[in-house]
Structures are given as C-alpha cells and as structure tokens.
Amino acid sequence: MSSKTYLLLAAAAVALIFSAEAADPDITSDFIVPAETPVNADFFTYRGFGEALSGGPKEGSFKATKASKVEFPALDGQSVSLTVLQFAPRGLNPPHTHTRSAELLVVVQGTLSVGLIDSNNTLYSQFLFKGDSFVFPKGLVHFQVNVESRYPAVAISAFGSANPGTVSLPKALFGSGIENWILAQSLNTTTDIIDKIIAANSG
C-alpha cells in the first residue's frame, strides 16, 4: 500500500470517527426504556405542547417548551426532538448554537425575523411568515426575533438529536465566570462596561 493511499484511508477513518461522535449513537434495540418504567402507549406519548401552541408566553418575552430525551424519555436513541418557541411582541431568542444538531424551524403563528452567521462571519437573515421554514445548520450561531410590537408569534423547531445541546452566547460570555479583563480585551472595551453588562443580566 502506497503512503498516499495509507494517508487517504487514515483521513477517511478519522472523518468517520468524528462524524460518528457528532451525532446520536445508533442503538441496538427498537427503543430505550429507563429502569422501572412500564412500556405502553403512554411511554410513546408526550402531552406537553398544548399550552405552548396557543400564542405568546404568559411571562417574559420568549419561552421554549422542549420535548427532548430529558422531558420525553422515549426519544432516547431516536435522534429526534422538538421545541415550541413562543414569542411575545418584540420577543427575542438571543444568539445561540446547537452543538449536536441542525434546527429546522417552521412558523405556525405570526411572523419572525431570523438569522444565522456562517464560519466566514457572513450573516444570512430572513423574514418568515406563517407556514415558512428556515434551517439553521449544526453549530452555527443563530437567532429569532418577533419584530411585531402588538402580536405574538409561535414556531416549532425540529432537531436531528434527542439532545441537541444549546449554548446561549450571552450566558456563555457573561455568565460563565470568564475573567472580566479577558472579556474586556476580547471585546475591545473596559472592565467597567463588562461589569455593567454582567450586573444587568444577573438575577
């Protein structure tokens, strides 16, 4: 075997390993049942979206109601989950990423302005109406906002993972304990400004 062929095979093997780690693992049974859990039709049923599908959140500007493997254990090993996103007027889902899945969003009520930023720092934004869909590729920073000042909006997001992972950029930057001087230098500002941002977002 030539060294070139060997290098190509090694690169392919590494790519397969990394792609396998980036997705939910395959299971060797039909489904996974937590210990002491009876298996009947109720196990495969989730009833948590009823209130979430009826307009804006009762409190706050944004609410996410999830059906991941935490809330709906039958999803464990199935590589799928759903989230209902409720937006009050001017409600915002801040910039965030999903580390383990792409997100396919469909607007079911109202309108949303959405955007994503690719690895070249290019912003792709769109205005969505009821029935429109938008895909956010895995790992890319994205956001959604209801720009309406009077009407709520609702969207449903589907994920290709039972636990897609969400990293909120504001929380990751200003609530993780990174030293203020590091944030100040990274954002080309002062520690006083960083202190004010952290204080405004705490509690």
Side-chain angles (χ1 to χ4, degrees):
M1 182 184 295
S2 71
S3 59
K4 186 175 181 181
T5 303
Y6 177 79
L7 285 172
L8 286 172
L9 287 173
V14 169
L16 281 172
I17 290 168
F18 279 110
S19 66
E21 289 180 353
D24 289 358
D26 287 333
I27 60 175
T28 56
S29 59
D30 293 337
F31 44 85
I32 298 172
V33 183
E36 311 280 326
T37 302
V39 179
N40 53 38
D42 288 340
F43 175 71
F44 301 101
T45 304
Y46 181 72
R47 302 186 190 276
F49 287 140
E51 188 176 313
L53 290 168
S54 59
K58 292 193 174 8
E59 295 181 12
S61 66
F62 168 76
K63 182 180 179 183
T65 304
K66 299 178 181 180
S68 69
K69 71 177 184 178
V70 173
E71 300 82 13
F72 189 11
L75 296 182
D76 192 8
Q78 302 303 318
S79 299
V80 66
S81 59
L82 283 174
T83 299
V84 174
L85 308 173
Q86 295 172 275
F87 299 83
R90 298 303 224 179
L92 167 69
N93 187 4
H96 61 282
T97 66
H98 300 292
T99 55
R100 290 181 285 276
S101 176
E103 174 182 357
L104 179 60
L105 175 143
V106 58
V107 177
V108 296
Q109 178 183 332
T111 56
L112 287 177
S113 177
V114 303
L116 68 89
I117 301 167
D118 71 7
S119 56
N120 294 316
N121 207 32
T122 301
L123 171 66
Y124 298 90
S125 60
Q126 187 63 274
F127 197 76
L128 303 179
F129 299 89
K130 181 178 178 179
D132 290 345
S133 292
F134 195 88
V135 65
F136 304 100
K138 179 168 62 177
L140 296 187
V141 174
H142 59 280
F143 64 89
Q144 302 105 16
V145 60
N146 179 8
V147 296
E148 267 287 343
S149 60
R150 293 187 295 166
Y151 303 110
V154 178
I156 298 175
S157 287
F159 299 92
S161 169
N163 183 17
T166 301
V167 179
S168 169
L169 269 60
K171 288 181 181 177
L173 287 174
F174 301 109
S176 62
I178 297 174
E179 293 188 53
N180 289 10
W181 71 268
I182 296 174
L183 290 173
Q185 188 169 328
S186 300
L187 299 171
N188 196 26
T189 188
T190 65
T191 55
D192 289 343
I193 297 295
I194 299 297
D195 287 338
K196 289 178 181 175
I197 293 172
I198 291 173
N201 289 280
S202 63

